[in-house]
Amino acid sequence: MGAALARAAQWTAAGSGTGTLEITPLNESLLNQIIKFAEDFGTRHPEEAAFVFREPLEWKTQLSCSVFGEGYEINGATVQSEAKGKDGQPLLLLTASTLRVRSFDQLSSLLQIAVEKKLKEAQACLEANRDPIVKILGPEYGTVEGEDMSMLHLLDKVKKSDDPETEMKMKINLLLHQLDLQLLNSSLKHISQNVRLNPAAINNEVNLLKNFSGKGEDTVLESLEYTSDYTFSNGCRAPPWRQVHGEICYLVIKPHDTDPLYITCSTAGVFLNGGQLKGKDDIDYERKSDVYKDIVTFLRERSPRFVENMAKQECNFFKEPTYEKNYQRMGAVDAQVSGQSQNLCDFTEKIVCEEVKSSAAGRRSIDKKKLEPSMKWKSIGLSASHSDKAAKKDTEEGRSTTVSLKIKKKASRISSESVKIQPASKCKTSGRFEDVSESSSETEEDEEQPVRRQEGNTDLPSEYWGIQKLAKYLKGGNPTATVIALCSMRDFNLAQETCQLAIRDIGCLEVLINLLDTEEIKCQIGSLKILKEISQNTLIRHAIADLGGLEIMVKILDSPDKDLKCLAAETIANVARFKQARRTVRQHGGIKRLVGLLECISVSSTGLTSYQAKDTEIARCGALALWSCSKSTKNKAAIRKAGGIPLLARWLKCSHANILTPVVGTLQECASEPSYRLAIRTEGMIENLVKNLSSEHEELQMHCANAIFKCAEDKETRDLVRQHGGLQPLSVLLGNSENKQLLAAVTGAIWKCAISGENVSRFREYKAIEALVGLLTDQPEEVLVNIVGALGECCQEPINRTTIRKCGGIPTLVKLLTGTDQALLVNVTKAVGACAREPENMMIIDRLDGVRLLWSLLKNPNPDVQASAAWAICPCIENAKDAGEMVRSFVGGLELIVNLLKSKNKEVLASVCAAITNIAKDEENLAVITDHGVVPLLSKLANTNNDKLRRHLAEAISNCCMWGSNRVTFGETKAVAPLVRYLKSNDPSVHRATAQALYQLSEDPDNCITMHENGVVKLLLAMVGSTDETLQEAAAGCIANIRRLALATEKAKYG
């Protein structure tokens, strides 16, 4: 741990003084690993946890005395542990704000007590104890530079003596050494991917953005300003006490479509801060968002208008030649590379200009040739007149080169203007501006690969020049020369990005697309083979779509040549990974043609003849293209209308993984639509999906599990998965925890299948519950959402709730309540609430402060999270030991839950009413919520047709009648008459709750009159004969109260 803190952690200090840990993702990752190690130390190594440190770890804490409970003695401002060392001194001592800890056992307990403050406590501890091993074991174990011989000396000492303390120190030292290696490995991975910012980089980016900001519809931002005009000698604008944390400056950014954004620029990246403090000339420095690598990346996530307007700007934004140099790898000193992009543009300009020759002229001497600026310079506003000439010459060149191949397309397609060739500097810039114009309403994302920069001011690789030479023959040769040029071009490594972008920059891409519209089959095949390879690049995909390549490929799908059809479909599969391309394929009839490729004479599951093999290959390529296209909702409908579902069902029966993968991939994409889920079930595809869960190919298994995940929303499908034996392979696949995509799909399928109780019983037999609990740690959020969702469904059975407790799952579930992912919070609150039905589980949840965390989630802005948290609170109150006191201990908690009755969401209202029903069982709490105005708020909800809300509202009203004059108030606020109408509902549970509420309200004479006027007696008389005893008693009691009032009235009237 000492080595990791000294070498990997990022420390800083303003001037002289003690260094502090910077607030960076790397440090946060290291701290979380150290916290996990310390928290688990007590359970994993109980003997070593009891070891008393040589000296206490001492630091200034933010914890107050009130957080310490059982196991600690509190005396005023002093807290000490009941556990003591051999010298009689407490193992934990808190005096004023100074904390001293002397064992791992106490350290573990302290971190569990700290809850959300544990990160701050760990940071403060490590800042105050830079080499904690010295204090834990002694100075002889301290971290040293160079060769560390302490382990050998210690081993020698253990051999010579039988001292148990020395042996214990040896074990602890080994454990800490192992942690050190883990931290160093983790930091190495992080550092290898990390990009550090400095003041110059930020200043350049700010100035660049300012050039494109201001009033007007096309500007990227309205304004962008520093919060401080003063610059320190190191280039920072942040005050020195914030520079200690690696912060450089603060900006106020006003986008066109959002409120002003207050951001912090630090060495670790850019993030949102708390903004201007009200009434103070200062800002809230606390981080409120993720950390982004630069300002532009941050803005892309926050402002769709910024993304849209950035796409409208030509390559001006990429003109800055020194933009790249301001980003430096950690630990490396930057070389001066100013002007490198400009030089690269010069190179590219020269290449293009040398190619612009008149076909009619016979003068081909390079020495006498006059260089003309390329069209790339036009977009940045230089040499306009020359650019026009160059464009004209380039167009003429295009016409002359296409005559020999009988090209039917207009030559204007290959002019530089239509190609939109970008400057070389743009080609080497990060792909973070990719797809900025694709603001799809759908949830799919383009599969982009990063665009790497050309490092330094080095020469372009030889492949670039080789392709440039081939371009001459490709553009100006006869069909034979063109085929030879295409074959030669394929000899290059077209998977290499340099070659891909060379083809685009030199103008070959438009020629390759024009070759598709010729009558020469060989030229078409050669062109498609190259386009298939290079279309893996995101920039190339967009260029192909812009040049009209997709329309031609769709036409080629009608070709009688099978090889040509295969290549066209595969290329479409690569290009159709963004919205515009998918739309183009659909609008030009591509979906129907691609579905047609799936048609075949027979689907064989064994050996294939050469004819069948070719048919299978055509179908595979068609399925690949449909898979890419199926990410669009309209395309899913088009595939169904074209008859794609029966054909996909037929191919699902074959045993060849190479075609099964795209077929199942298409099905799982389409399964998000109800019509497809019905078709998958009725066409008998579930059996084949289950069968392929046992395939040897992990990708195929993943897509099958994903398809089941989406289809298992329907009960009939869940039953079919069980009947075809799909639950066991799903349980087995939980063992493959390395493949996270597969794990996400499998856990999702288990979650949805577990909605059916019969499936839960099978999962219990297959030990899936224990496996799911074991996977709760160190998983990405998409996997955790599914795991917790599955556990929440499994917890409906009491035996499974016990299993989760025995496997140690409850503490992990409670920890997840502190997360931020909305879907995860919805599922984890449901799981914790289900576990709380068992009193033993509830004791653990209460001890871990789980109820307070659930209550705090009522403040979450997401209604789904609010509702789920409120439902979870109900069993917690029912099964807690002293529920009334526990609820009162939450400061402002009762007011918060009462105010949620103002929500517009029916599920939130129903869940809050259910919670209030339980809260009102305690008289003191009922008095408090009455003071907060619960009665009029409940009365306002009475006019509802939602049976779920009716039931819980009636129960809440019934319990709230037990205090003071609440019965009278309910009558005055017009709650009685609507309740009578609830008795006409078809839901028996609504009848029971309403009868109980009316019985309580009938204790007030005015309410009895209102009930009688609204015809309650006739409705209640029918319910007196119910088999539900509770309903019987409540109905009879209410009628009795009404009758007593009537008798008393008659007696008073007639004597």
Side-chain angles (χ1 to χ4, degrees), residues 817 822-834 854 857-858 862-875 905 907-908 911-912:
L817 289 171
Q822 304 297 300
L824 178 58
L825 287 174
V826 169
N827 285 355
V828 78
T829 46
K830 182 178 180 180
V832 170
L854 283 171
L857 288 175
L858 295 175
N862 188 322
D864 295 333
V865 176
Q866 291 175 346
S868 190
W871 287 123
I873 285 168
C874 296
N905 185 286
E907 189 69 19
V908 172
S911 61
V912 170

Side-chain angles (χ1 to χ4, degrees), residues 263-275:
I263 68 167
T264 298
C265 300
S266 71
T267 54
V270 175
F271 57 85
L272 194 69
N273 59 46

Side-chain angles (χ1 to χ4, degrees), residues 276-570:
Q276 193 80 28
L277 293 171
K278 290 183 179 178
K280 295 184 181 179
D281 189 19
D282 204 355
I283 63 172
D284 178 0
Y285 298 106
E286 188 174 350
R287 176 158 65 91
K288 304 292 184 184
S289 73
D290 292 335
V291 180
Y292 298 87
K293 65 179 180 178
D294 53 31
I295 301 170
V296 170
T297 307
F298 171 84
L299 288 170
R300 283 193 69 214
E301 293 292 326
R302 297 277 167 175
S303 170
R305 182 76 176 277
F306 173 84
V307 174
E308 182 183 338
N309 287 356
M310 184 61 75
K312 293 177 184 176
Q313 302 293 339
E314 295 293 340
C315 64
N316 291 325
F317 192 82
F318 300 92
K319 190 174 75 172
E320 177 63 38
T322 58
Y323 187 75
E324 178 185 322
K325 70 169 184 167
N326 291 316
Y327 291 90
Q328 51 192 1
R329 289 284 169 185
M330 291 179 63
V333 180
D334 244 341
Q336 295 297 319
V337 291
S338 61
Q340 62 177 9
S341 300
Q342 189 69 46
N343 292 338
L344 200 53
C345 275
D346 291 341
F347 270 128
T348 314
E349 181 222 3
K350 186 175 179 182
I351 294 164
V352 177
C353 291
E354 286 177 350
E355 290 300 324
V356 182
K357 303 175 185 178
S358 172
S359 59
R363 301 179 297 277
R364 298 192 175 271
S365 171
I366 295 175
D367 296 332
K368 295 180 180 180
K369 184 182 61 157
K370 179 183 178 183
L371 293 178
E372 296 285 349
S374 91
M375 278 298 294
K376 298 180 205 176
W377 294 101
K378 185 177 181 181
S379 59
I380 55 175
L382 298 177
S383 305
S385 60
H386 292 295
S387 298
D388 293 338
K389 293 176 185 177
K392 194 172 181 181
K393 290 176 75 177
D394 196 35
T395 305
E396 290 171 2
E397 172 70 14
R399 289 197 184 100
S400 66
T401 57
T402 54
V403 171
S404 62
L405 292 174
K406 300 179 184 178
I407 292 180
K408 301 172 185 176
K409 293 176 66 68
K410 292 181 180 179
S412 59
R413 275 247 174 108
I414 63 166
S415 70
S416 295
E417 188 159 326
S418 97
V419 179
K420 298 180 184 174
I421 300 176
Q422 298 162 315
S425 59
K426 181 170 180 179
C427 301
K428 306 300 181 281
T429 306
S430 170
R432 61 177 177 269
F433 296 103
E434 177 61 25
D435 285 347
V436 289
S437 62
E438 296 303 321
S439 54
S440 172
S441 61
E442 300 158 20
T443 56
E444 75 272 6
E445 295 178 2
D446 288 349
E447 301 168 17
E448 300 175 7
Q449 63 182 46
V451 182
R452 300 178 188 83
R453 298 182 180 91
Q454 190 76 24
E455 295 290 342
N457 196 14
T458 57
D459 290 336
L460 287 167
S462 58
E463 291 88 345
Y464 193 98
W465 305 114
I467 289 171
Q468 187 248 338
K469 289 175 183 176
L470 281 174
K472 298 175 185 177
Y473 302 102
L474 195 61
K475 290 180 178 181
N478 56 33
T480 305
T482 303
V483 170
I484 293 169
L486 289 169
C487 293
S488 301
M489 193 171 284
R490 287 199 66 218
D491 290 338
F492 288 95
N493 181 9
L494 296 179
Q496 188 178 340
E497 191 179 43
T498 305
C499 297
Q500 294 168 350
L501 296 181
I503 289 171
R504 188 197 63 170
D505 293 346
I506 295 166
C508 289
L509 191 57
E510 58 271 29
V511 178
L512 289 170
I513 289 170
N514 279 347
L515 287 173
L516 298 179
D517 211 8
T518 68
E519 296 173 356
E520 296 288 337
I521 298 291
K522 291 181 180 177
C523 289
Q524 288 178 308
I525 289 175
S527 177
L528 278 173
K529 284 185 176 180
I530 294 170
L531 288 170
K532 186 187 82 172
E533 294 293 327
I534 65 175
S535 58
Q536 299 290 344
N537 185 294
T538 307
L539 296 172
I540 301 288
R541 288 202 287 271
H542 280 264
I544 290 171
D546 292 340
L547 290 165
L550 280 169
E551 293 91 322
I552 307 172
M553 291 180 212
V554 167
K555 289 179 185 176
I556 290 174
L557 295 174
D558 290 330
S559 168
D561 190 286
K562 293 185 176 182
D563 290 330
L564 203 55
K565 286 198 286 191
C566 285
L567 287 167
E570 275 196 277

Side-chain angles (χ1 to χ4, degrees), residues 970-992:
F970 276 122
E972 292 171 350
T973 51
K974 313 293 183 189
V976 178
L979 279 174
V980 174
R981 292 195 291 273
Y982 290 10
L983 295 174
K984 297 177 182 177
S985 167
N986 295 321
D987 188 345
S989 62
V990 174
H991 295 166
R992 177 196 286 188

